[in-house]
Amino acid sequence: MISADCIVTGEQVLRPGWVEVADHRVVALGAGLPPRAADTPLGAVTVVPGFVDTHVHGGGGGAFSDATREATRAAVDLHRHHGTTSMVASLVAAPPEALLRQVDRLAGHVEDGLVRGVHLEGPWLSPQRCGAHEPSALRDPDPDELAALLAAGRGTIRMVTLAPELDGATAAIRQVVDAGAVAAVGHTEATYDQTRLAVAAGATVATHLFNAMRPVHHREPGPVVALLEDDRVTVELITDGIHLHPALYREVLGRAGGDRVSLVTDAMAASGMPDGAYELGGLAVHVVEGAARLVGSDTLAGSTATMDALFRFAVSQAGPDLDTALLAAVRQTSIVPSRALHLPEAGLRVGASADAVVLDDGLAVTGVLSRGAWVRDPAGAG
């Protein structure tokens, strides 16, 4: 039994509230004093559902593209320490043999419970909007290659990002969706009409909206407008203070609504690490004051953010009512991301996995509960 002065379930705010956990799941919860003495009385803190990051390349010095257990464990441990209890391992563009090997190994990490799934961010991306992807590794979708990757993933590939304007992209979107994964639009020079065709074919996520996308033009609205205006599409936003101006975040929230916005870190290996030299998909990256850029350019190479920082950002932008702000932030960092990728439903509710984050009065993480066990002890023991 856990009790706290504030518990945000995802649907309501309980002040005070309590949660009972058994067999790694939430078995009961309610407002007011707990029905019996709490085993873990947390007091003047806020408890929210564990964060869900559906677009993350690494952290703690480890990159998912290394596809080693050590690298995956380093990234998982770093982000879990900051409250992320579920994450999908994102891969960047790579040659066919390398990508196949990475997917096969990461599928094992999913099966072992380290991560929730795999996200293929490429290699089917626009050369004009490649961002921090190796240009020589980009190519048009090939149904045989896609089928081989889906088979190697053994059902663990949760999302595939591609550019709709490429030859074969529409068929690839249908192939991804037919396999039970989510098709996403990103790293694209697509027109408005090409993007609408992609959504009609089954694409339901916008990969880091605005970033690595054809910009809005008054005579050619491009992908941003097409993705925003369709209620079937969940839009990712990287709200790390570098990738996106806060005014654009507020604009998207007002246009799309809180139930279509998924905050993602797009974090790379340097997340949680000192400034310095790193790699992303074989490309040299230099991190200065927390901003990761390709060496010799201004191109952003993912981020060094963690989900707790994104949560605090969402609260800060939601207006003066704290309960409303907390609910909005929970939806954007837990509920919407898990729903967008068809992961087990997040939130503190009966029957759900007991994943929770304990926050102090400054919304800094002081405790993390993952599947009913404290992986960061709020008493300070872990």
Side-chain angles (χ1 to χ4, degrees), residues 335-360:
I335 309 300
V336 176
S338 62
R339 182 182 299 159
L341 264 62
H342 312 310
L343 297 171
E345 186 176 349
L348 294 172
R349 57 179 183 79
V350 174
S353 178
D355 299 329
V357 185
V358 182
L359 305 169
D360 66 15

Side-chain angles (χ1 to χ4, degrees), residues 70-364:
E70 293 75 18
T72 296
R73 173 60 70 185
V76 168
D77 287 349
L78 182 280
H79 289 288
R80 186 173 289 162
H81 188 76
H82 287 272
T84 300
T85 53
S86 296
M87 69 190 74
V88 173
S90 297
L91 293 173
V92 295
E97 299 80 6
L99 193 58
L100 196 65
R101 182 175 63 254
Q102 291 166 4
V103 168
D104 177 66
R105 291 179 179 176
L106 285 175
H109 300 174
V110 177
E111 292 160 352
D112 291 343
L114 287 174
V115 290
R116 290 285 191 174
V118 178
H119 164 213
L120 299 181
E121 189 181 15
W124 309 295
L125 310 175
S126 166
Q128 295 101 311
R129 301 289 172 184
C130 61
H133 292 258
E134 170 56 57
S136 66
L138 303 182
R139 47 197 182 270
D140 289 339
D142 175 82
D144 292 335
E145 181 186 16
L146 180 51
L149 287 165
L150 290 167
R154 305 189 292 280
T156 66
I157 294 178
R158 290 286 186 173
M159 184 164 72
V160 178
T161 295
L162 41 71
E165 71 275 19
L166 299 180
D167 289 343
T170 301
I173 289 170
R174 296 193 181 105
Q175 188 175 356
V176 168
V177 173
D178 288 346
V182 171
V185 172
H187 286 271
T188 177
E189 186 66 12
T191 65
Y192 172 84
D193 288 336
Q194 287 170 327
T195 307
R196 282 174 57 87
L197 286 173
V199 175
T204 55
V205 169
T207 295
H208 46 53
L209 193 74
F210 297 107
N211 297 116
M213 278 188 183
R214 180 179 189 152
V216 176
H217 187 276
H218 58 283
R219 288 191 295 273
E220 173 45 71
V224 172
V225 173
L227 293 164
L228 271 178
E229 71 180 7
D230 198 305
D231 290 343
R232 294 171 290 183
V233 177
T234 299
V235 293
E236 292 182 353
L237 296 176
I238 309 171
T239 52
D240 63 345
I242 299 171
H243 280 76
L244 195 70
H245 193 284
L248 277 179
Y249 165 80
R250 295 191 296 270
E251 181 69 21
V252 170
L253 203 61
R255 175 65 184 87
D259 283 337
R260 287 181 54 207
V261 172
S262 172
L263 302 188
V264 298
T265 63
D266 196 21
M268 46 89 73
S271 179
M273 302 292 286
D275 284 358
Y278 296 88
E279 284 190 0
L280 179 61
L283 299 178
V285 176
H286 194 206
V287 178
V288 178
E289 296 181 351
R293 288 183 167 86
L294 293 182
V295 170
S297 79
D298 289 330
T299 300
L300 291 171
S303 87
T304 62
T306 51
M307 286 296 290
D308 55 330
L310 273 53
F311 182 90
R312 288 189 291 273
F313 172 87
V315 171
S316 74
Q317 298 294 311
D321 183 77
L322 180 58
D323 285 3
T324 300
L326 288 170
L327 282 168
V330 163
R331 298 198 71 76
Q332 294 167 48
T333 58
S334 296
I335 309 300
V336 176
S338 62
R339 182 182 299 159
L341 264 62
H342 312 310
L343 297 171
E345 186 176 349
L348 294 172
R349 57 179 183 79
V350 174
S353 178
D355 299 329
V357 185
V358 182
L359 305 169
D360 66 15
D361 57 3
L363 301 182

